[in-house]
Amino acid sequence: MGLTIAEKIFDAHRVDRPAEGIETIRLDAVFCHEITTPIAINDLMARGKDRVFDPGRIKAVIDHVTPAKDSKTASQGKVLRDWARRHGITDFFDIGRNGVCHALFPEKGFVRPGDTIIMGDSHTCTLGAFGAFAAGVGTTDLEVGILKGVCAFRTPRTIRIDITGTLPEGVFAKDVILSIIGRLGVDGATDHIIEFDGPVVSAMSMEARMTLCNMAIEAGATCGICRPDQATVDYLWPFIENAYANHQAALEDFKSWWPDPDAVYAETLVCDVSDLEPLATFGYKPDQVRPVREMGDVVVDQVYIGSCTNGRIEDLRAAAAVLRGRRIHPSLRAILSPATPKVFRQALAEGLIEVFMEAGFCVTNPTCGACLGMSNGVLAEGEVCASTTNRNFPGRMGKGGMVHLVSPATAAATAVAGRLTSARDLR
Amino acid sequence: MRNFGGKVLFLDRSDINTDEIIPARYLTEMTKAALKPYLLEDLALEEFDAARDLAGVGTIVTRANFGCGSSREHAPWALEANGIHLVIAESFARIFRQNMFNCGLMAVALAPETIARLFERFSGRATRVAVDFPGMLFEFTSEGIREEVPFTLAPFDRALVEAGGWVEYADQRY
Ligand code: SF4
């Protein structure tokens, strides 16, 4: 019987079956940030188990609230910083070098096809774009990961989604994943891994695949996953050039993770995107999705571009292409948080930051910031935000605030128009 | 092992997410106890009043996909800080469900028909549930009415509840 990508990864990492249907796997990496890790650290200390399984396999970043906004967030950063020093965790990214975890860690080359990764953050599923099994976990799982380098999961079951057709001009990976979530529902993939495949995925950049996998959790999935291919090799090449004779050799090796032709899926869906339009969410759940054109007249108070979903260079390029030579509507404010320092620098070098600033955007340092309503652009009660992030839950970006999830191009067009508008309809 | 059962709070909505259970703005807290006042502060449910409705509650009964969204274990901790050790629902989001058992708490799924019947018979009334853990049985009672509902736990979940959580379990085993 053939195997899916996740099944192959589990086979290569299984250390135990503690009970029927449960598999404990060895972890290649444990990623950490300052919101969920300090509690794990404090708890390990309280239990007299302040140890790490392998400092070289632990990567940590301060990204959610940075620079610290108050004494409490400063303490969270300090607990993480002190711990990293104490245990010789050298891949620790403090202010000046930090960025949104799921954008930063791939950029540093910390993810490989076939890897197993956990992090105390639900959007860890982003990293499946590289053909890795990467799952968000809670603090207790994180603690055990830090201590023992293992984590237990249910035996993987995979939903395969073949994305076919041609992506129309002005429609992006964000619109694709919103449409898929709309179709699956917020629990349509619970306890499953989603394998994204098909010609549209093969044609996507790694950035776009990360956007796709990022929101797999919004359909309840444990992980989104893409087969590693030439694009994966090219992206990772600077980090793997010593391991392989050439690109071709790397690709051959990566292919060992490809799903078998006779792999067994819990479900297979085909999603033709040829007629897809720019989409937006309309309610408080990410599966409440409809075309921007059918949204009616939605006046917006704030536009936010950034996050692990859409804060990468391609996203900034798409938004800047809409903004070039235009100004944001006087009735709203707009914020850009490039996801990492590298993205920020590249955007500077390409003149994109100038475009955003000319248009009237506030540009912040790389951080999660407004995405989870902790800093850098929190909404007031009753305010409406068009955002390139991944969650429109009640209060997500500020108590009493409303969030419409959109692509960077739609966010930029909305900033210019003052109301929800796709770039196609911008006059 | 914890105490399970007590006064029941019925939350008649699906897809209650972890941002509603404990909003991100309180994730700066580094102790469980500090989360206590903020449980369900952003719950989008008409006529729900956290201050009034959470008093003395030990168990939540709700609909589908409870705990979706963020991985924050603050969600089970905020429940625990309020004395809520048991959530009964049609279904749960994966991470939330695992977090509950990892903490030695219980997230028990029952068939949609059973949940619907519990809502019909008991919601809006003062209801308590008693839990017979070895017998895997809930007993719901309210002024003169009573219903026994069997439940099942996967062996691994049961082991975590008995061990008091995943850290001790894993440290001994791996
Ligand atoms: S950008 Fe938003 S969704 Fe992504 S890790 Fe940060 S807070 Fe979470």
Side-chain angles (χ1 to χ4, degrees), chain A residues 172-315:
Chain A
F172 300 88
K174 178 64 161 285
D175 302 302
V176 174
I177 188 63
L178 284 174
S179 79
I180 290 173
I181 296 161
R183 184 164 156 190
L184 290 174
V186 287
D187 60 353
T190 299
D191 271 320
H192 287 73
I193 288 136
I194 303 178
E195 228 177 66
F196 294 105
D197 214 327
V200 174
V201 181
S202 302
M204 277 182 180
S205 66
M206 293 311 296
E207 279 86 355
R209 291 179 201 181
M210 283 191 253
T211 302
L212 197 62
C213 291
N214 175 268
M215 292 187 73
I217 181 74
E218 262 58 66
T222 306
C223 182
I225 207 162
C226 302
R227 69 168 73 201
D229 61 8
Q230 192 60 50
T232 322
V233 173
D234 294 345
Y235 184 103
L236 290 176
W237 188 248
F239 310 104
I240 59 175
E241 57 184 350
N242 294 327
Y244 298 102
N246 51 42
H247 283 61
Q248 194 53 38
L251 181 61
E252 284 311 315
D253 186 27
F254 287 5
K255 278 185 182 173
S256 65
W257 300 109
W258 284 15
D260 292 327
D262 58 342
V264 180
Y265 295 95
E267 204 179 333
T268 300
L269 302 177
V270 177
C271 178
D272 188 323
V273 295
S274 301
D275 295 325
L276 197 62
E277 288 184 51
L279 300 178
T281 57
F282 58 86
Y284 289 105
K285 295 195 303 159
D287 60 357
Q288 295 175 300
V289 174
R290 64 166 71 117
V292 174
R293 209 167 275 182
E294 292 170 21
M295 287 292 290
D297 189 26
V298 180
V299 176
V300 168
D301 301 293
Q302 175 172 299
V303 164
Y304 182 71
I305 298 179
S307 86
C308 57
T309 318
N310 282 128
R312 285 173 286 266
I313 191 68
E314 277 188 3
D315 304 315

Side-chain angles (χ1 to χ4, degrees), chain A residues 24 49 72 76 139-140, chain B residues 15 27 29 73 171 173-174:
Chain A
T24 305
K49 299 182 197 293
K72 283 183 174 172
Q76 289 178 307
T139 292
T140 304
Chain B
D15 306 316
L27 302 187
E29 300 298 345
E73 204 157 307
D171 200 26
R173 191 160 172 131
Y174 302 113

Side-chain angles (χ1 to χ4, degrees), chain A residues 33 63-64 100-102 121 123 214 306-309 367-368 371-372 389-391 396:
Chain A
H33 66 55
D63 63 350
H64 275 57
V100 176
C101 50
H102 313 304
D121 193 287
H123 292 102
N214 175 268
S307 86
C308 57
T309 318
T367 176
C368 296
C371 170
L372 79 167
T389 54
N390 47 38
R391 287 197 171 136
R396 172 71 178 186

Side-chain angles (χ1 to χ4, degrees), chain B residues 131-151:
Chain B
V131 181
D132 172 2
F133 187 78
M136 298 271 133
L137 197 68
F138 295 135
E139 187 195 14
F140 289 86
T141 48
S142 174
E143 314 128 27
I145 53 172
R146 134 176 208 291
E147 178 161 348
E148 285 187 352
V149 180
F151 66 96

Side-chain angles (χ1 to χ4, degrees), chain A residues 350-403:
Chain A
E350 293 180 17
L352 307 181
I353 298 297
E354 183 60 25
V355 172
F356 281 103
M357 294 187 76
E358 269 298 312
F361 268 69
C362 160
V363 181
T364 82
N365 64 299
T367 176
C368 296
C371 170
L372 79 167
M374 286 186 82
S375 62
N376 275 18
V378 181
L379 301 178
E381 184 101 34
E383 284 191 323
V384 175
C385 184
S387 178
T388 68
T389 54
N390 47 38
R391 287 197 171 136
N392 54 347
F393 297 157
R396 172 71 178 186
M397 296 183 76
K399 193 172 167 63
M402 169 89 194
V403 180

Side-chain angles (χ1 to χ4, degrees), chain A residues 87-129:
Chain A
H87 293 290
I89 296 164
T90 47
D91 289 317
F92 168 61
F93 300 88
D94 209 331
I95 192 149
R97 304 199 300 139
N98 60 359
V100 176
C101 50
H102 313 304
L104 184 77
F105 291 144
E107 203 183 85
K108 297 288 174 191
F110 296 154
V111 186
R112 297 283 188 283
D115 272 3
T116 52
I117 298 167
I118 61 163
M119 178 170 195
D121 193 287
S122 60
H123 292 102
T124 308
C125 56
T126 312
L127 310 174

